[in-house]
Amino acid sequence: MKYDDAPEGASPTERHAGLSQSMFVPLDLEVDFEAFYLGHHEVFHAYAEVHFGNRETAEEVIHEVFLEIHAGWSQLLSAGNLEQGAWAIVRRIVHNRLDAEGRGPAFVINGPIAQALDTALVTARDKLQKMESTSGLYEAIAELPDRQFEVIVLRYVLGYPTAKVAWYIGIDDRTVGHHLRRAKERLRLKLGLPETPKKSKHKGVGA
């Protein structure tokens, strides 16, 4: 496959704002792959950037991600779980790069991103009894199982609505809610926080 700078009259994929002019993209893309790229590049890039803390590395990593997705495109389509298969590639390449650099996600170790996470998770933190320190929360999030980690990052760190999270990952809204509840309960137990009292239903007095 040949690679080159986006030429004059390039396709929407090649002109897409998410890729800098210094990046290279495969030419003569299949229509369905191009549609997938346009629909998922933004969220894949945002996911990588919140891990690495800078746009340049995120572009490099997601470029590699889409090259691998394109190389295995037929197999991903035939497997019947395109979104989940693609996310598995994103997770693996992102985490391999972090391991190679010997560090954790930027939202755990980078101050500005940690502050953004602090703001994005204010509602979840309220439900977790407004911890005095959030540093343990960031680390606990990084240790969540893959699917729970994805929905927490997409929903609370990146701020995507539940419906969009569901579409990106390839599951329904209720399943996203299930993973969010499981993730928050796992965080509660990990951090040793008290259980949130359930609202009780009671009849009025003097019936």
Side-chain angles (χ1 to χ4, degrees), residues 139-160:
E139 295 168 359
I141 290 174
E143 296 173 0
L144 287 171
D146 288 341
R147 185 47 50 86
Q148 293 176 23
F149 178 83
E150 285 171 2
V151 297
I152 286 287
V153 170
L154 293 175
R155 180 69 184 90
Y156 293 119
V157 181
L158 298 176
Y160 291 113

Side-chain angles (χ1 to χ4, degrees), residues 157-196:
V157 181
L158 298 176
Y160 291 113
T162 298
K164 203 165 188 178
V165 173
W167 184 76
Y168 280 138
I169 298 180
I171 56 181
D172 59 39
D173 292 15
R174 293 180 62 183
T175 305
V176 170
H178 169 75
H179 286 306
L180 287 172
R181 289 190 298 273
R182 292 288 298 274
K184 286 186 281 188
E185 176 63 10
R186 190 182 184 97
L187 293 173
R188 184 188 71 80
L189 294 173
K190 176 76 174 178
L191 299 167
L193 298 172
E195 184 175 4
T196 303

Side-chain angles (χ1 to χ4, degrees), residues 76-121:
L76 287 168
L77 287 177
S78 62
N81 56 351
L82 176 58
E83 288 80 7
Q84 294 180 42
W87 272 106
I89 293 172
V90 175
R91 284 196 308 270
R92 172 168 50 77
I93 292 179
V94 166
H95 294 165
N96 285 351
R97 177 70 172 259
L98 288 173
D99 289 343
E101 296 179 358
R103 65 185 182 91
F107 70 80
V108 174
I109 63 177
N110 185 310
I113 292 182
Q115 292 171 13
L117 178 61
D118 180 70
T119 300
L121 281 176

Side-chain angles (χ1 to χ4, degrees), residues 16 33-43 164 167-168:
H16 195 266
F33 177 81
E34 184 167 343
F36 181 84
Y37 174 91
L38 291 174
H40 291 77
H41 177 269
E42 176 190 345
V43 67
K164 203 165 188 178
W167 184 76
Y168 280 138

